[in-house]
Structures are given as structure tokens and as C-alpha cells.
Amino acid sequence: MTTTVSAYAADSATSPLKKTTIERRDVGPHDVAFDIKFAGICHSDIHTVKGEWGEPNYPVVVGHEIAGIVTEIGSEVTKYKVGDHVGVGCFVDSCRECDSCKEGLEQYCTGPGGMIGTYNATGKDGTPTYGGYSTAIVVDENYVLRIPDSIPLDKAAPLLCAGITLYSPLRHWDAGPGKEVAVIGLGGLGHMGVKIAHAMGAHVTVLSQSLKKMEDGLRLGADEYYATSDPDTFTKLAGKFDLILNTVSANLDMGAYLGLLGRDGTLVELGAPEQPLSVPFFPLGGLRRSLAGSMIGGIAETQEMLDFCAEHDVTPEIEVIEASYVNEAYERVLASDVRYRFVIDTSTL
């Protein structure tokens, strides 16, 4: 048995998303079913729909920033009850047996096939996974997150990708009082980096192409704001930072940005550039600097992030839209015309 739900799907890389229906599995003993109330729009959704990361399995229903309310639980579920506010992020299962899974780092699952993505993947039952641009979903309780009551569901949704994508490296590289942290780009990811790093007590600098979002950046928690289009910026800030988080997917001049790190500083790549990175040795090796990558977070860390955001009143800046506006929203994301995350009100499906 399955349940039919409404969704927005893409049939090809060039066709607009349109309304359709998809099947959700029946609730198994360990499953949680919930009505999706809000789904954030992540740039990854657009890359996937447009086939920029390889050909997806069309029709594809994207969305991995999902918030809603539990409607049914399986007979053996212990973590949730009907009525709970819950969410799902970028994955809905993993092998559960590899070292990463056992250590709560399911995002780095090394088992067969790795983690199972919330969309454009194949579940353990052999059926395709469909994401959050839909009205309901069924997920194993171990991959569901509890959304604290103080975080509205519309603002909770982007935390499940954008929030954890920034929280995880900030936590891993010990951002906090006395640390100099720079965030490259003030978009959907970057603005969350500024808010979270500020809440952790770090000294936060935004590095943006221009100063047009400077007022926003300072309001969101940045201590300083510089334009990377000004060559003086790289002279003035040379050797300043302990940690730099790159949230843009463009190919940057890695030598110039590595030069902004102090000794033993780390530049973490979070955006996914289309071309391989070109990294000169001397800016990297000269001061024992590190170039690293990071992807989302495990279930335990994502829950920790949600609780941290509730405690420190950290939520994304959002623009709530109707489902019928999703294609226009994609165009605006590509034009950097959103401050700072679109969230679909799935009741409009």
C-alpha cells in the first residue's frame, strides 16, 4: 500500500517544475509520517533539476529543507508522537554500520552507496526518494529531527541544510571567543554563517564582492565587512583569520584567499564550484595553512544545531512563497535576488 500526495516535479533539465502526484510508502514499524508545511529552496535543488551534477532520475521532486507536523507513527517508534514539530534534511537513511554512521557522522557514510539522499536517490526498498516540494513524507525515525517549539516551522526549514552546512564547520574548527572568522558571500548559506558564528562568540567578517549588502551583514551579526573587488582588502586583511568559510560556488583566486589566513588557519570550501580548484603551494604551505571541505552534518549534530539556534534565537531571513511561484523563485536565486532564502508554503500545493 502507498499514499498519493501532491508535489512539484521537474521532467527534464529544461522544463519548468509543474504540479504532479507521487507515491509515499505506508508507515512501517520504525517510520514517522508527517505533513510537510514548509520546504526551503536550496541552490542544490536547482543544480539537480538542471542536471548540472549529472543526469537525475526524472521526474525529480527536490527539496531537502523540510519542516512539518507528525501525523502518524509506526508501532515501534519511541522518539516522536503525533503533533510533534519535526524536520528532515539532506538524507533519509544510511548504511548504519560503517565507522562514520556509528560515530554519528552519517553524512560521510562509507557503506554501499553512501547516505541515501532525501531526493534523487534510491531507498533501501528500491524505490526512488522524493523531496520536500510535496505535501507529506514518510521517514525512518532515526533520520527525523525535532524542531524546538520556539522556532517557527517556516524559519526552521532552511536550518536543515543551510543552517547545518555552516554550523558543522564552525563547530568542528572551534569558532568562538577570540577566533577570527570570515564568511565569503552573504547569500542563503553565508547569512547563516554570520548569524551562527556571531552567536558562538567569534569575531565575524564578511567578504563580499561589493558593499551593497553591508548594512544587512552588520545587522545580522558581522563585525566587519569588506569588498573583495577592492585589491586593498587582500593587503589589509593578510594573515588575519583563523577560519574562512567559502559559501560561494564560483572558482576563486585560492592564493589570494589563503593569504588571508594566519598560521595554521583553515579555508573551508562549502560551495561546490563547477571547475576543479587551482591551489598554489606557497600560500598554502608557507604558514602551514589548510584547505578543507565540509558537507552538512550528521543527525546528532543537526539536532544540536537546531537546539543551539533555539537557545540563541538564530533563524534565517526568509521569503515565503506559494508553490506556483517556484520557477520564478529559481530565476531569482540564480540572479542573487533573494534575501536570503525562499521557503515554499506547501499548503499552496
Side-chain angles (χ1 to χ4, degrees):
M1 292 286 292
T2 56
T3 304
T4 302
V5 303
S6 297
Y8 255 61
D11 292 327
S12 75
T14 53
S15 61
L17 278 74
K18 64 184 186 210
K19 192 171 179 179
T20 186
T21 58
I22 56 172
E23 300 294 315
R24 294 297 192 190
R25 69 173 184 262
D26 268 2
V27 176
H30 296 281
D31 285 337
V32 172
F34 66 93
D35 283 346
I36 298 171
K37 298 300 182 183
F38 296 96
I41 293 179
C42 174
H43 208 132
S44 300
D45 301 344
I46 302 174
H47 285 305
T48 300
V49 162
K50 293 185 177 298
E52 293 167 353
W53 288 348
E55 181 86 359
N57 296 314
Y58 296 111
V60 62
V61 176
V62 294
H64 56 206
E65 297 181 339
I66 307 171
I69 299 174
V70 176
T71 55
E72 186 182 350
I73 59 170
S75 58
E76 296 181 37
V77 169
T78 58
K79 298 178 181 178
Y80 301 100
K81 64 182 188 302
V82 172
D84 283 352
H85 287 195
V86 296
V88 166
C90 298
F91 57 95
V92 291
D93 214 332
S94 62
C95 85
R96 312 187 189 200
E97 294 174 1
C98 69
D99 288 345
S100 290
C101 284
K102 287 177 178 175
E103 292 171 31
L105 298 168
E106 300 93 342
Q107 77 273 33
Y108 302 127
C109 175
T110 55
M115 67 174 184
I116 296 175
T118 302
Y119 59 74
N120 193 39
T122 303
K124 289 182 176 175
D125 62 357
T127 62
T129 61
Y130 295 117
Y133 296 12
S134 57
T135 54
I137 194 168
V138 180
V139 180
D140 184 286
E141 68 172 325
N142 293 299
Y143 297 82
V144 174
L145 288 309
R146 182 178 302 282
I147 295 173
D149 291 339
S150 63
I151 303 179
L153 289 176
D154 55 353
K155 288 178 177 281
L159 294 176
L160 296 163
C161 175
I164 187 58
T165 295
L166 275 297
Y167 182 90
S168 187
L170 286 165
R171 180 61 80 217
H172 183 75
W173 279 280
D174 298 320
K179 290 291 182 80
E180 292 280 353
V181 174
V183 177
I184 303 173
L186 192 69
L189 293 178
H191 93 287
M192 286 309 307
V194 170
K195 287 190 168 199
I196 293 170
H198 174 74
M200 288 178 171
H203 187 272
V204 187
T205 300
V206 173
L207 302 173
S208 185
Q209 277 186 303
S210 72
L211 298 178
K212 69 180 182 184
K213 294 182 182 176
M214 184 171 181
E215 192 178 321
D216 269 8
L218 298 176
R219 174 177 62 84
L220 297 173
D223 299 286
E224 301 179 54
Y225 199 109
Y226 291 90
T228 54
S229 54
D230 180 354
D232 288 348
T233 292
F234 292 90
T235 307
K236 191 181 298 182
L237 302 179
K240 175 180 172 70
F241 300 108
D242 300 298
L243 178 65
I244 300 175
L245 303 179
N246 179 21
T247 71
V248 303
S249 53
N251 282 79
L252 303 177
D253 178 346
M254 297 306 291
Y257 284 90
L258 287 166
L260 301 178
L261 291 169
R263 190 190 72 239
D264 293 324
T266 303
L267 170 57
V268 184
E269 282 289 322
L270 301 172
E274 288 183 28
Q275 302 301 319
L277 298 173
S278 177
V279 183
F281 172 75
F282 288 104
L284 182 67
L287 285 176
R288 200 166 59 189
R289 295 162 170 141
S290 296
L291 175 62
S294 179
M295 279 178 58
I296 51 174
I299 294 298
E301 188 176 50
T302 305
Q303 188 63 60
E304 179 186 299
M305 175 275 304
L306 287 167
D307 296 340
F308 175 91
C309 288
E311 182 184 343
H312 295 273
D313 194 24
V314 172
T315 55
E317 309 285 303
I318 63 171
E319 182 176 332
V320 177
I321 62 168
E322 294 190 0
S324 59
Y325 189 73
V326 68
N327 293 297
E328 290 88 343
Y330 273 23
E331 294 306 315
R332 285 181 54 193
V333 170
L334 295 173
S336 298
D337 177 27
V338 53
R339 294 195 177 180
Y340 282 86
R341 203 64 153 186
F342 283 120
V343 174
I344 301 167
D345 176 353
T346 55
S347 72
T348 62
L349 271 166

